[in-house]
């Protein structure tokens, strides 16, 4: 990520969530067109230009993957309310719009943690779009490659949404962050995704990975880490998590894509739902 510039991958994620609504038929897995409204015309044009050589299959896979992972994280957060877990930490918040969009957002204290450059851009974009910040939102600017989560004074019991970040961090940085989250109170729940290694990908996952590698390198946001499912389990156990569920493309397709032959998840990542 270039200094002084907002994350292009975060912007792309917001664009692809909106594209799911524009380009796929109903019922939608996840409805978020608000994130795209934070992008100005030149930003949308630049993002679309970076995707112009994507095949239709790859673009559809990206749309589906981003919609499913966002839906899962929010489903876990909402489920936590029944257990009194009303703190929601978005670690690497990007263009997440939960606080401005979800009908139950007011029931949480929402912590948006992100790189200072990306967060500064987002807050300016919110103002430009006429979106005021709800009183239950807390913005925390932090570069996780330089700042320990322990030092951020975040809640001890929360649902943590850590999507789209671990692949950009060295293993030691990911491990330190996981230890900090796992040092919280019992009931804390983490939802995080990890890239699978090349030998674990299916054909669609391989096409998605090759495409994203080129796109992210051009954006100066190279992928630096991938993990096998065994490595993810070991990493979570070693850093203090007890209950661990791993959800791959097949496991996620059952609840979210049942009856949707038009949508397909690439086997390229695994999502962990882990508790302490």
């Amino acid at each position: 990520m270039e200094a002084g510039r907002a994350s292009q991958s975060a912007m792309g994620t917001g664009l692809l969530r909106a594209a799911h609504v524009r380009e796929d038929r109903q019922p939608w897995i996840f409805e978020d067109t608000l994130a795209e409204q934070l992008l100005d015309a030149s930003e949308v044009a630049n993002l679309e230009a970076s995707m112009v050589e994507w095949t239709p299959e790859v673009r559809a896979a990206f749309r589906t993957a981003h919609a499913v992972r966002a839906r899962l994280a929010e489903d876990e957060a909402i489920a936590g309310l029944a257990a009194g877990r009303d703190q929601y930490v978005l670690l690497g918040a990007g263009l997440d719009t939960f606080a401005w969009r979800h009908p139950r957002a007011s029931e949480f204290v929402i912590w948006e943690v992100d790189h200072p450059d990306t967060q500064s851009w987002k807050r300016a974009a919110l103002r430009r779009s006429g979106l005021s910040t709800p009183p239950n939102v807390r913005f925390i600017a932090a570069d996780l490659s330089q700042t320990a989560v322990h030092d951020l004074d975040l809640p001890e019991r929360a649902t943590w949404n850590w999507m789209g970040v671990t692949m950009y961090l060295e293993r030691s940085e990911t491990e330190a962050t996981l230890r900090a989250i796992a040092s919280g109170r019992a009931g804390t729940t983490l939802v995080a995704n990890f890239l699978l290694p090349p030998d674990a990908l299916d054909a669609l996952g391989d096409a998605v990975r090759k495409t994203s590698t080129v796109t992210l390198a051009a954006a100066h946001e190279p992928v630096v880490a991938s993990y096998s499912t065994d490595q993810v389990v070991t990493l979570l156990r070693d850093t203090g998590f007890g209950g661990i569920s791993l959800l791959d493309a097949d496991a996620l397709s059952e609840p979210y894509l049942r009856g949707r032959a038009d949508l397909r998840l690439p086997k390229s990542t695994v999502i962990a739902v882990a508790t302490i």
Side-chain angles (χ1 to χ4, degrees), residues 150 162 166 170-185 188 190 192 194 227 230-244 246 272-276:
H150 265 308
W162 200 24
T166 62
E170 298 292 344
R171 182 187 174 97
S172 59
E173 296 164 351
T174 294
E175 187 173 315
T177 297
L178 291 173
R179 287 190 186 282
I181 296 170
S183 69
R185 288 171 47 206
T188 287
L190 167 72
F194 300 83
Y227 302 82
D230 287 344
Q231 287 174 325
V232 172
V233 171
T234 298
L235 180 64
L236 290 168
R237 284 179 177 163
D238 287 352
T239 52
F241 289 91
I244 300 168
L246 295 189
V273 180
T275 59
I276 58 170

Side-chain angles (χ1 to χ4, degrees), residues 14-24 32 36 48 59 63:
L15 184 70
L16 288 165
R17 288 200 301 266
H20 171 57
V21 174
R22 287 198 316 271
E23 300 172 29
D24 297 315
D32 179 14
E36 187 179 38
E48 289 291 1
R59 184 178 175 96
R63 293 196 306 268

